[in-house]
Amino acid sequence: MRSVRPREIRADYDRTSIVVYQAYGPHIGRPAVEQGRFVPPFSRTRMTWIKPSFLWLMERSGWARKAGQEMVLAVRISRAGWEEALSQAVLTNADRRVHRDADEWRAEFRQARVHVQWDPERTLRGRRLDARSIQVGLSQHVIDRYADEWVLDIRDLTPAVHRIRRLLGDGDTRRAAALLPRERVYPLPPELARRIGADV
């Protein structure tokens, strides 16, 4: 069995698409699910963060219990769009593997249309791991591309989230784990991996 590298993208993906997760209140989530795309009051003027790790979003949203995050959406987007976003990304922190020095990073970050940060991945029980999970922040300069061109499908995962949480509460970790999305290492082109500080 291969070891997990500290910074690699793990996701539910196929030949042409990848699933990212977002959590919203019902006023945004329900219209998005009903129409299969993001519509008002979804904001196109503020940064929106997409995450391919289901368990990371569970930690962030409190398993869909935090205010404004009561609906968990599985947003399937094109791999072409995903990689277009990464090609414009700048890390939220300076990294010597990516930038020569802090000044170079600051200059790029000021102009960044897309942000990337690596946060500790989580276990089913919420424990921090040494492995990292990627978050991708889309600024207002690329949100139209995301909402109008990259999004292929939006599904409501909230009932599944509630079921998994109930199973965990009952101590049935095995059945809870069986309901998790199947995530595997996403194959990044070397130039994209270098740009975002990913391990290859």
Side-chain angles (χ1 to χ4, degrees):
M1 183 175 178
R2 67 179 291 279
S3 60
V4 176
R5 297 184 181 94
R7 289 187 178 188
E8 60 185 9
I9 297 172
R10 292 166 297 278
D12 175 4
Y13 66 91
D14 58 26
R15 186 173 58 85
T16 59
S17 65
I18 179 172
V19 176
V20 294
Y21 302 100
Q22 296 187 271
Y24 287 108
H27 66 295
I28 293 176
R30 285 199 186 109
V33 171
E34 290 167 0
Q35 300 200 34
R37 62 190 186 91
F38 287 108
V39 295
F42 174 79
S43 174
R44 296 183 182 228
T45 60
R46 55 178 292 185
M47 183 165 284
T48 189
W49 290 86
I50 56 178
K51 307 101 179 169
S53 168
F54 178 80
L55 288 177
W56 193 93
L57 185 61
M58 292 307 95
E59 175 66 22
R60 181 62 179 264
S61 70
W63 291 86
R65 288 177 294 177
K66 290 184 180 178
Q69 300 185 60
E70 299 92 345
M71 285 188 71
V72 172
L73 307 183
V75 185
R76 186 171 290 277
I77 66 174
S78 69
R79 282 179 63 168
W82 171 249
E83 294 185 12
E84 181 181 328
L86 296 183
S87 74
Q88 302 178 64
V90 177
L91 292 168
T92 56
N93 293 292
D95 186 327
R96 283 298 181 94
R97 297 177 303 172
V98 180
H99 299 100
R100 286 192 301 269
D101 53 40
D103 288 340
E104 181 184 75
W105 167 74
R106 275 191 289 269
E108 287 194 21
F109 189 72
R110 280 195 294 267
Q111 304 298 320
R113 296 160 61 91
V114 177
H115 294 174
V116 158
Q117 64 186 52
W118 296 90
D119 296 309
E121 183 59 282
R122 301 289 177 153
T123 67
L124 185 56
R125 290 286 185 181
R127 182 173 61 84
R128 285 174 173 240
L129 296 174
D130 290 335
R132 297 279 160 161
S133 176
I134 195 171
Q135 282 195 78
V136 178
L138 307 175
S139 75
Q140 60 181 330
H141 303 291
V142 295
I143 286 180
D144 286 347
R145 298 271 290 156
Y146 172 65
D148 298 333
E149 300 179 38
W150 302 346
V151 171
L152 305 174
D153 178 61
I154 300 176
R155 292 185 298 119
D156 181 9
L157 287 193
T158 313
V161 168
H162 291 168
R163 185 180 179 194
I164 294 169
R165 183 166 59 82
R166 283 196 299 270
L167 289 169
L168 287 174
D170 293 339
D172 197 341
T173 304
R174 182 184 61 81
R175 288 178 64 197
L179 295 177
L180 295 177
R182 297 291 181 254
E183 295 173 3
R184 54 203 170 99
V185 176
Y186 184 90
L188 276 177
E191 64 275 12
L192 288 187
R194 285 193 296 271
R195 183 175 187 88
I196 63 174
D199 295 314
V200 293

